[in-house]
Amino acid sequence: MVDIDEKVDYIVVLNGEEQYSILLADREIPAGWVAEGFRGPRQECLDHIDVVWTDMRPLSVRRRMEGN
Amino acid sequence: MLYERVVRQALRNPSAPAVTCDGETLTYEQLVRRADGLSDVLTTAGVRRGDVVGVLMRRSTDMITALLAILRAGAAYVGVDPDDPPQRRNDLLTDAGVEFVVADDPLREGVPGRFTTLSPSAVSRSSGAAVSTTGDDLAYVSFTSGSTGRPKGVMVPHRAVLRLITDMNWMDVRRDDVFLQAAPLAFDASTFEIWAPLAHGCHLVMAPSGRLTLEGVAETVREHGVTVLWLTAGLFHEMVAHDIGAFAGVRHLVAGGDVIQPGPVGRLLAAHPGITFTNGYGPTENTTFTTTWTTSAAAGDGLDTIPIGTPVNGTRIAVLDAELQPVEAGACGELYVSGAGLARGYLGQPGATADRFLPDPFSSEPGARMYRTGDIVRLRPDGACEFVGRVDDQVKILGHRVEPGAVETALHRLPGVSRTAVVVRTAADGAKRLVAYVVPEDVPPPHWGERLREQLRATLPAPLIPWAVLVRDTLPLTSNGKTDREALPVPDLTARNVPNEFVAPRTDVEHRLAGLWEGVLGVEPIGADDDFFDLGGHSLNATELLGAVRAEFGVTIPARVLYLQPTLSELGEQLETAMRSGAQR
């Protein structure tokens, strides 16, 4: 039941594992998440994430694999 | 991770039976030895840690060997259903970024040349070491069919599977248990069926290869003394109705995948008082089971509904309103889940992942995510959840938000109802109508559907009364055993659908009035004794009708007259009275 009204702004956020998500722009950002900088209607945020989230492996997994 | 769990069992009890299918049994030692041989073939061919390897196989001991071999190579498996159309199979393999496919020999020909196919019976002479993996490495990818858009490949890590099958708070696995394996590999119920027994040293018995039938399942359960099995809700209901005796030797029966009806659960517990029954609920994105609800004969009398229950170990749930605030006990909200069972996301679909896996504001662990299930549940005061419906299924009918699931629940409470499905149909005029499909327990009385519809009026508000209740011998099932809502027959939404006998309009006024009703309701023919509201009338089209009456007859009928005298003949009389008094003025 998340508001999907396209007039409402969301922001793009990511956590320490560089996993992306979205949040209503007026919400408090939960601990361990930071704003990525992109802000806009929900679908535009998701389209942006489709472009910037190029490796969906958690950061710790990426580092471990590259260490191998 | 999973591979090592199975090896541990092989070291502990090498000669114990691990897997049986179609008359062939592998011991734990044989299973691991074969998997090691195939795994080296995969590694030599180029399979690397983190790859996703396709599995195009029918149920067989080889299939289990192949899964173990893929995991040993550090890769994840993606099951592709051999019965799916080739185009869909190839699309899924492409979407999953698969390069290698382990395929049964008869199925290998159908795999396009851009994939490298490997035979499950290939054995290498070399003996490399198992690739070490962590809980974050992927174990499998499972495609969810989804009602709209392209299928999404859910990426499930080892940690999520281990949280499902170890330290379980809802069942105890015993070393001498015999588990049934019947679900398609592409369906994530297979995760529980395969890895719970193999991680605990139990015997895994597979239903015969080929199309799953009630008879095949019943025979396998009887012949091999199956003690633990998972069934789709549809198959569970069918087996209780047609062969309840098959469960005589079963210790723990788990059903899920769709709404479980209380009637069959009550009958199961009455027939087999020693059995434990669990309703297992969960989206693929949280690895097979998210919540469970368990009952036995001692506790299970007077079941009204079968809740989906409380979270399994390693999983947290939150029932939230539209503002993402927890709802009070007793209220409905959307179910959000978090914890070790969460998938990594949707393979190759970052935007779709970000849309469903949200920052978890309730977690003590910074950066944690929670999955938005799209399921509406009611949080009972005792902490257990009841499934109410899908967010996507909510429809507005006559301005009311209607849950088809709530209508199904109400139908189930009526005597004689075995199974139901309630769907929304859109008539030619764009009006949305609820249509209920009902399967009786026994031979139903005449006009049973109409009677059920009348009985519903005692418990449901008007917008939730189905436009039609259709009685059927059975409901179609998907290959995953869920009710196939797409395959339900579409009734004639313009046909007259009321319990009373058709009496043709008699007077000139009735004939002209019937024409107006047809136009407003989109229903024909209209009988003299038909009730405007029974035919689908409501406050909005009542206003429309009275406007049409004014235009046609030049008299104004107040809305309350229509409400008090709602049949065609009654309204006709009122009209004639009004016209006479108008003429006298």
Side-chain angles (χ1 to χ4, degrees):
Chain A
M1 278 185 278
V2 164
D3 196 343
I4 53 165
D5 186 344
E6 289 305 311
K7 288 171 200 137
V8 178
D9 261 7
Y10 285 76
I11 57 170
V12 173
V13 293
L14 72 167
N15 63 13
E17 290 282 10
E18 296 190 355
Q19 294 171 311
Y20 286 73
S21 191
I22 58 170
L23 201 62
L24 274 172
D26 60 4
R27 287 261 156 73
E28 192 183 330
I29 300 178
W33 294 84
V34 293
E36 183 256 4
F38 191 93
R39 180 190 172 115
R42 179 176 149 276
Q43 192 56 51
E44 285 181 27
C45 287
L46 299 179
D47 292 345
H48 173 74
I49 289 170
D50 267 329
V51 173
V52 296
W53 194 6
T54 51
D55 189 339
M56 292 181 72
R57 293 175 301 169
L59 184 62
S60 59
V61 173
R62 266 182 275 158
R63 289 200 172 133
R64 213 177 297 137
M65 304 274 280
E66 279 150 19
N68 276 0
Chain B
M1 300 278 281
L2 288 171
Y3 169 79
E4 281 79 10
R5 304 284 305 206
V6 181
V7 168
R8 204 178 301 165
Q9 298 304 331
L11 292 172
R12 190 178 286 167
N13 200 352
S15 59
V19 50
T20 296
C21 188
D22 286 332
E24 190 196 7
T25 296
L26 297 182
T27 65
Y28 271 86
E29 184 184 33
Q30 289 168 326
L31 172 65
V32 169
R33 189 161 10 97
R34 287 197 191 188
D36 289 359
L38 178 59
S39 182
D40 287 328
V41 173
L42 299 179
T43 306
T44 307
V47 172
R48 294 289 172 263
R49 181 181 177 188
D51 286 355
V52 180
V53 176
V55 176
L56 180 60
M57 299 177 71
R58 299 193 179 278
R59 276 187 297 276
S60 62
T61 56
D62 276 353
M63 186 184 92
I64 304 298
T65 305
L67 302 186
L68 210 50
I70 291 166
L71 296 181
R72 184 179 181 272
Y77 60 86
V78 56
V80 182
D81 196 331
D83 293 324
D84 272 352
Q87 182 64 46
R88 177 180 156 87
R89 289 184 340 216
N90 298 336
D91 286 351
L92 292 187
L93 291 171
T94 304
D95 274 1
V98 160
E99 187 182 344
F100 299 95
V101 181
V102 183
D104 282 335
D105 291 335
L107 296 166
R108 286 173 69 183
E109 290 175 13
V111 180
R114 64 178 183 276
F115 303 108
T116 304
T117 58
L118 297 156
S119 167
S121 49
V123 181
S124 166
R125 290 176 187 280
S126 68
S127 54
V131 175
S132 109
T133 52
T134 72
D136 286 319
D137 280 271
L138 294 187
Y140 65 87
V141 172
S142 180
F143 277 91
T144 60
S145 47
S147 49
T148 54
R150 64 190 244 249
K152 290 184 280 201
V154 181
M155 301 185 282
V156 178
H158 283 260
R159 177 195 299 109
V161 181
L162 288 173
R163 94 87 172 72
L164 174 73
I165 58 172
T166 56
D167 191 23
M168 297 156 83
N169 61 355
W170 58 278
M171 84 173 294
D172 58 321
V173 181
R174 300 176 191 166
R175 192 68 60 79
D176 59 357
D177 270 330
V178 180
F179 277 64
L180 178 73
Q181 206 285 302
L185 191 56
F187 185 21
D188 89 328
S190 64
T191 309
F192 170 75
E193 290 180 330
I194 294 169
W195 301 112
L198 293 185
H200 290 94
C202 308
H203 187 185
L204 171 62
V205 174
M206 306 176 95
S209 65
R211 197 174 159 71
L212 194 66
T213 61
L214 190 157
E215 293 75 20
V217 169
E219 197 185 312
T220 308
V221 169
R222 283 196 173 96
E223 186 187 337
H224 297 279
V226 167
T227 59
V228 180
L229 77 161
W230 182 93
L231 293 173
T232 61
L235 193 52
F236 166 65
H237 296 145
E238 298 262 322
M239 283 194 69
V240 167
H242 298 292
D243 193 358
I244 199 168
F247 299 129
V250 173
R251 190 172 71 74
H252 200 143
L253 194 159
V254 190
D258 211 335
V259 177
I260 307 284
Q261 332 252 304
V265 175
R267 282 196 285 285
L268 173 79
L269 298 176
H272 304 296
I275 210 165
T276 302
F277 175 86
T278 294
N279 181 13
Y281 156 87
T284 305
E285 289 85 343
N286 197 43
T287 316
T288 311
F289 297 134
T290 290
T291 61
T292 56
W293 187 79
T294 298
T295 189
S296 59
D301 45 334
L303 294 172
D304 192 23
T305 57
I306 303 297
I308 58 172
T310 51
V312 300
N313 270 355
T315 282
R316 283 173 290 111
I317 64 168
V319 184
L320 306 180
D321 63 18
E323 293 296 312
L324 294 185
Q325 293 304 309
V327 302
E328 288 175 13
C332 291
E334 186 171 355
L335 183 67
Y336 290 73
V337 303
S338 54
L342 277 194
R344 187 186 282 179
Y346 300 118
L347 203 157
Q349 299 192 51
T353 301
D355 191 30
R356 305 295 292 202
F357 292 81
L358 303 173
D360 182 357
F362 309 106
S363 177
S364 56
E365 181 196 336
R369 299 187 299 171
M370 63 179 182
Y371 173 71
R372 173 162 64 97
T373 64
D375 287 335
I376 297 176
V377 302
R378 191 172 78 85
L379 182 62
R380 302 202 316 193
D382 66 1
C385 293
E386 281 176 6
F387 182 82
V388 176
R390 291 282 304 162
V391 172
D392 303 341
D393 287 348
Q394 279 195 337
V395 284
K396 281 215 165 174
I397 294 183
L398 314 184
H400 289 71
R401 199 156 75 179
V402 170
E403 287 289 352
V407 184
E408 289 178 6
T409 304
L411 272 167
H412 271 298
R413 293 191 171 132
L414 300 177
V417 174
S418 166
R419 296 176 58 202
T420 67
V422 175
V423 299
V424 178
R425 301 285 186 197
T426 307
D429 61 355
K432 294 205 182 330
R433 288 182 174 143
L434 283 179
V435 177
Y437 301 81
V438 180
V439 179
E441 283 174 353
D442 263 314
V443 179
H447 304 292
W448 190 51
E450 289 150 10
R451 289 189 197 185
L452 289 175
R453 190 161 167 266
E454 288 310 305
Q455 287 170 281
L456 284 178
R457 289 185 192 279
T459 56
L460 292 180
L464 269 70
I465 304 297
W467 181 79
V469 177
L470 306 176
V471 180
R472 305 229 91 74
D473 292 336
T474 180
L475 299 179
L477 296 179
T478 66
S479 59
N480 285 352
K482 302 186 183 193
T483 302
D484 189 350
R485 285 159 197 275
E486 304 293 318
L488 291 165
V490 180
D492 179 2
L493 292 174
T494 60
R496 178 179 174 276
N497 182 57
V498 283
N500 54 289
E501 295 293 317
F502 177 78
V503 178
R506 291 153 291 215
T507 66
D508 172 58
V509 166
E510 283 181 7
H511 277 288
R512 286 161 66 195
L513 197 51
L516 299 183
W517 282 31
E518 283 173 15
V520 169
L521 295 169
V523 170
E524 60 182 359
I526 307 282
D529 296 336
D530 292 357
D531 182 313
F532 179 76
F533 298 98
D534 272 351
L535 288 169
H538 47 79
S539 58
L540 297 178
N541 56 19
T543 309
E544 192 188 332
L545 173 71
L546 296 174
V549 166
R550 193 162 51 241
E552 170 79 15
F553 297 96
V555 293
T556 299
I557 301 284
R560 68 182 156 75
V561 171
L562 176 61
Y563 282 99
L564 294 173
Q565 273 115 350
T567 68
L568 188 76
S569 60
E570 286 170 337
L571 190 65
E573 271 177 42
Q574 291 297 316
L575 249 176
E576 295 203 23
T577 310
M579 285 191 291
R580 273 197 300 274
S581 65
Q584 284 162 5
R585 243 177 244 153

mmCIF file of all heavy atoms in Angstrom, chain B residues 142 183-191 230 232 256-257 284 479-482:
data_model
loop_
_atom_site.group_PDB
_atom_site.id
_atom_site.type_symbol
_atom_site.label_atom_id
_atom_site.label_comp_id
_atom_site.label_asym_id
_atom_site.label_seq_id
_atom_site.Cartn_x
_atom_site.Cartn_y
_atom_site.Cartn_z
ATOM 1 N N SER B 142 15.037 -18.628 -8.750
ATOM 2 C CA SER B 142 13.688 -19.166 -8.981
ATOM 3 C C SER B 142 12.849 -18.084 -9.648
ATOM 4 O O SER B 142 12.745 -16.970 -9.142
ATOM 5 C CB SER B 142 13.082 -19.565 -7.635
ATOM 6 O OG SER B 142 11.787 -20.087 -7.827
ATOM 7 N N ALA B 183 7.327 -31.162 -6.032
ATOM 8 C CA ALA B 183 7.189 -29.848 -6.681
ATOM 9 C C ALA B 183 8.197 -29.713 -7.819
ATOM 10 O O ALA B 183 9.300 -30.240 -7.733
ATOM 11 C CB ALA B 183 7.416 -28.735 -5.657
ATOM 12 N N PRO B 184 7.817 -28.997 -8.887
ATOM 13 C CA PRO B 184 8.799 -28.726 -9.953
ATOM 14 C C PRO B 184 9.972 -27.950 -9.367
ATOM 15 O O PRO B 184 9.785 -27.131 -8.458
ATOM 16 C CB PRO B 184 8.022 -27.858 -10.954
ATOM 17 C CG PRO B 184 6.579 -27.994 -10.597
ATOM 18 C CD PRO B 184 6.526 -28.367 -9.145
ATOM 19 N N LEU B 185 11.152 -28.202 -9.885
ATOM 20 C CA LEU B 185 12.350 -27.511 -9.401
ATOM 21 C C LEU B 185 12.210 -26.000 -9.564
ATOM 22 O O LEU B 185 12.749 -25.228 -8.779
ATOM 23 C CB LEU B 185 13.568 -28.019 -10.189
ATOM 24 C CG LEU B 185 14.940 -27.626 -9.665
ATOM 25 C CD1 LEU B 185 15.123 -28.051 -8.223
ATOM 26 C CD2 LEU B 185 16.017 -28.245 -10.555
ATOM 27 N N ALA B 186 11.459 -25.602 -10.582
ATOM 28 C CA ALA B 186 11.278 -24.180 -10.848
ATOM 29 C C ALA B 186 10.416 -23.501 -9.775
ATOM 30 O O ALA B 186 10.347 -22.285 -9.722
ATOM 31 C CB ALA B 186 10.636 -23.985 -12.219
ATOM 32 N N PHE B 187 9.776 -24.289 -8.931
ATOM 33 C CA PHE B 187 8.871 -23.782 -7.890
ATOM 34 C C PHE B 187 9.608 -23.907 -6.560
ATOM 35 O O PHE B 187 10.151 -24.960 -6.252
ATOM 36 C CB PHE B 187 7.606 -24.637 -7.907
ATOM 37 C CG PHE B 187 6.510 -24.175 -6.986
ATOM 38 C CD1 PHE B 187 6.449 -22.883 -6.517
ATOM 39 C CD2 PHE B 187 5.510 -25.058 -6.606
ATOM 40 C CE1 PHE B 187 5.434 -22.473 -5.666
ATOM 41 C CE2 PHE B 187 4.490 -24.670 -5.774
ATOM 42 C CZ PHE B 187 4.458 -23.368 -5.300
ATOM 43 N N ASP B 188 9.628 -22.852 -5.744
ATOM 44 C CA ASP B 188 10.551 -22.858 -4.610
ATOM 45 C C ASP B 188 10.117 -23.727 -3.442
ATOM 46 O O ASP B 188 10.856 -23.853 -2.477
ATOM 47 C CB ASP B 188 10.927 -21.432 -4.196
ATOM 48 C CG ASP B 188 9.958 -20.845 -3.171
ATOM 49 O OD1 ASP B 188 8.760 -21.213 -3.222
ATOM 50 O OD2 ASP B 188 10.392 -20.028 -2.354
ATOM 51 N N ALA B 189 8.953 -24.373 -3.535
ATOM 52 C CA ALA B 189 8.626 -25.395 -2.540
ATOM 53 C C ALA B 189 9.657 -26.516 -2.597
ATOM 54 O O ALA B 189 9.918 -27.193 -1.603
ATOM 55 C CB ALA B 189 7.234 -25.960 -2.799
ATOM 56 N N SER B 190 10.276 -26.702 -3.788
ATOM 57 C CA SER B 190 11.290 -27.749 -3.926
ATOM 58 C C SER B 190 12.493 -27.487 -3.018
ATOM 59 O O SER B 190 13.191 -28.424 -2.646
ATOM 60 C CB SER B 190 11.730 -27.875 -5.384
ATOM 61 O OG SER B 190 12.364 -26.686 -5.819
ATOM 62 N N THR B 191 12.720 -26.232 -2.649
ATOM 63 C CA THR B 191 13.841 -25.914 -1.748
ATOM 64 C C THR B 191 13.689 -26.660 -0.431
ATOM 65 O O THR B 191 14.620 -27.296 0.065
ATOM 66 C CB THR B 191 13.874 -24.399 -1.463
ATOM 67 O OG1 THR B 191 13.824 -23.707 -2.702
ATOM 68 C CG2 THR B 191 15.126 -24.003 -0.698
ATOM 69 N N TRP B 230 5.055 -31.940 1.588
ATOM 70 C CA TRP B 230 4.485 -30.627 1.286
ATOM 71 C C TRP B 230 3.563 -30.808 0.090
ATOM 72 O O TRP B 230 3.923 -31.489 -0.880
ATOM 73 C CB TRP B 230 5.603 -29.643 0.937
ATOM 74 C CG TRP B 230 5.100 -28.257 0.663
ATOM 75 C CD1 TRP B 230 4.986 -27.248 1.558
ATOM 76 C CD2 TRP B 230 4.628 -27.740 -0.586
ATOM 77 N NE1 TRP B 230 4.458 -26.128 0.952
ATOM 78 C CE2 TRP B 230 4.234 -26.400 -0.360
ATOM 79 C CE3 TRP B 230 4.489 -28.265 -1.867
ATOM 80 C CZ2 TRP B 230 3.719 -25.587 -1.364
ATOM 81 C CZ3 TRP B 230 3.975 -27.456 -2.864
ATOM 82 C CH2 TRP B 230 3.590 -26.136 -2.614
ATOM 83 N N THR B 232 0.647 -28.607 -2.521
ATOM 84 C CA THR B 232 -0.034 -27.355 -2.830
ATOM 85 C C THR B 232 -1.426 -27.413 -2.214
ATOM 86 O O THR B 232 -1.984 -28.495 -2.012
ATOM 87 C CB THR B 232 -0.220 -27.173 -4.337
ATOM 88 O OG1 THR B 232 -1.025 -28.255 -4.816
ATOM 89 C CG2 THR B 232 1.114 -27.160 -5.074
ATOM 90 N N GLY B 256 0.424 -25.378 1.293
ATOM 91 C CA GLY B 256 0.545 -23.937 1.090
ATOM 92 C C GLY B 256 0.484 -23.571 -0.369
ATOM 93 O O GLY B 256 0.081 -24.366 -1.207
ATOM 94 N N GLY B 257 0.904 -22.367 -0.642
ATOM 95 C CA GLY B 257 0.914 -21.886 -2.026
ATOM 96 C C GLY B 257 -0.378 -21.205 -2.420
ATOM 97 O O GLY B 257 -0.436 -20.531 -3.439
ATOM 98 N N THR B 284 8.403 -16.276 -2.710
ATOM 99 C CA THR B 284 9.702 -16.792 -3.154
ATOM 100 C C THR B 284 10.833 -15.876 -2.677
ATOM 101 O O THR B 284 11.920 -16.339 -2.351
ATOM 102 C CB THR B 284 9.709 -16.876 -4.693
ATOM 103 O OG1 THR B 284 8.592 -17.670 -5.082
ATOM 104 C CG2 THR B 284 10.968 -17.517 -5.206
ATOM 105 N N SER B 479 0.236 -25.578 -13.102
ATOM 106 C CA SER B 479 1.210 -26.653 -12.898
ATOM 107 C C SER B 479 1.800 -26.580 -11.490
ATOM 108 O O SER B 479 2.334 -27.552 -10.987
ATOM 109 C CB SER B 479 2.321 -26.574 -13.941
ATOM 110 O OG SER B 479 2.976 -25.328 -13.842
ATOM 111 N N ASN B 480 1.699 -25.411 -10.837
ATOM 112 C CA ASN B 480 2.175 -25.289 -9.465
ATOM 113 C C ASN B 480 1.099 -25.665 -8.457
ATOM 114 O O ASN B 480 1.319 -25.565 -7.254
ATOM 115 C CB ASN B 480 2.633 -23.855 -9.176
ATOM 116 C CG ASN B 480 3.969 -23.565 -9.827
ATOM 117 O OD1 ASN B 480 4.605 -24.469 -10.359
ATOM 118 N ND2 ASN B 480 4.378 -22.323 -9.781
ATOM 119 N N GLY B 481 -0.084 -26.085 -8.938
ATOM 120 C CA GLY B 481 -1.136 -26.543 -8.043
ATOM 121 C C GLY B 481 -1.982 -25.433 -7.456
ATOM 122 O O GLY B 481 -2.754 -25.662 -6.546
ATOM 123 N N LYS B 482 -1.838 -24.211 -7.942
ATOM 124 C CA LYS B 482 -2.708 -23.143 -7.480
ATOM 125 C C LYS B 482 -3.938 -23.072 -8.385
ATOM 126 O O LYS B 482 -3.893 -23.526 -9.521
ATOM 127 C CB LYS B 482 -1.982 -21.797 -7.531
ATOM 128 C CG LYS B 482 -0.721 -21.778 -6.699
ATOM 129 C CD LYS B 482 -0.126 -20.395 -6.668
ATOM 130 C CE LYS B 482 1.186 -20.417 -5.893
ATOM 131 N NZ LYS B 482 1.684 -19.094 -5.559
#
